[in-house]
Amino acid sequence: MKNDDDLGFCELSFQRRPELVSIVRRFVSDFYDRTLADADACSRVALATHELLENAVKYASDGMATVRIEVTARGAAGAHIRIRTRNHAAPEDAAYIRRTIDELRGSPDPNLYYLDVIRRNARRTDGSGLGLARIAAEAEMEVSVKCGARGTVTVIAETDVKLSAVAVSARGIA
């Protein structure tokens, strides 16, 4: 049943194909460019989608990853964006994600945490390890994780944004 505050969602599931991550980012950017109030908000949603999906695809133990972007109305001209990725991960990968997000959420300033992660990971050769910190700092989103008993990992990034005048008009809010 559709709630009046539900402005829609987009969900994509696919097998491990890293080249699709950039395609999904372009789609999200184009799609939300017409919905959100400013280019910065659209860019933040696209960045978070890209980072979350890149991790979900990379660490999917069964090769499958899902991304879901939900938009819910907040007030007369605002919306809440929730981006969720879901995949099955090896126990050590799930534990690493949980530790990283706990560390991130425990930091008083996402920007200082991001700079610290950059410093700590400068010499890594297996990826930057910056994605979750980047979402919190650059995309200005809250990040959380839920780990299921059967290895399912759901990572969530969310924020409030302004709707474009066109989107507000379409809802009859004016």
Side-chain angles (χ1 to χ4, degrees):
M1 184 167 154
K2 187 175 185 319
N3 180 330
D4 285 342
D5 293 337
D6 181 9
L7 301 178
F9 71 91
C10 171
E11 182 171 292
L12 299 167
S13 295
F14 47 87
Q15 290 186 316
R16 181 179 291 136
R17 293 197 42 213
E19 68 275 12
L20 294 178
V21 174
S22 293
I23 293 169
V24 171
R25 181 182 181 145
R26 284 192 300 274
F27 165 76
V28 167
S29 183
D30 289 347
F31 184 83
Y32 286 103
D33 185 45
R34 301 188 184 276
T35 306
L36 304 178
D38 60 52
D40 180 62
C42 178
S43 177
R44 293 186 300 124
V45 169
L47 179 142
T49 301
H50 180 96
E51 293 292 347
L52 289 177
L53 190 54
E54 186 174 61
N55 284 344
V57 167
K58 182 177 180 179
Y59 296 108
S61 60
D62 63 357
M64 295 294 296
T66 299
V67 61
R68 180 181 175 108
I69 304 168
E70 302 168 348
V71 183
T72 307
R74 287 276 167 97
H80 184 76
I81 302 283
R82 177 177 289 127
I83 305 163
R84 292 188 299 179
T85 55
R86 186 177 62 250
N87 65 301
H88 287 87
E92 61 273 11
D93 291 332
Y96 174 76
I97 292 168
R98 193 177 312 114
R99 279 192 314 274
T100 300
I101 291 177
D102 286 347
E103 186 178 88
L104 170 62
R105 292 175 65 97
S107 173
D109 183 338
N111 292 302
L112 291 177
Y113 177 78
Y114 182 39
L115 293 173
D116 184 52
V117 172
I118 290 171
R119 182 186 51 75
R120 284 187 282 161
N121 294 342
R123 291 188 175 93
R124 280 181 67 163
T125 59
D126 61 339
S128 68
L130 298 176
L132 297 171
R134 186 174 185 209
I135 292 167
E138 290 185 31
E140 300 173 358
M141 293 188 175
E142 292 289 324
V143 182
S144 61
V145 63
K146 295 177 184 175
C147 296
R150 295 188 180 108
T152 301
V153 175
T154 303
V155 181
I156 303 163
E158 52 193 331
T159 192
D160 290 325
V161 298
K162 293 179 183 175
L163 292 176
S164 69
V166 171
V168 171
S169 170
R171 289 197 71 230
I173 299 173

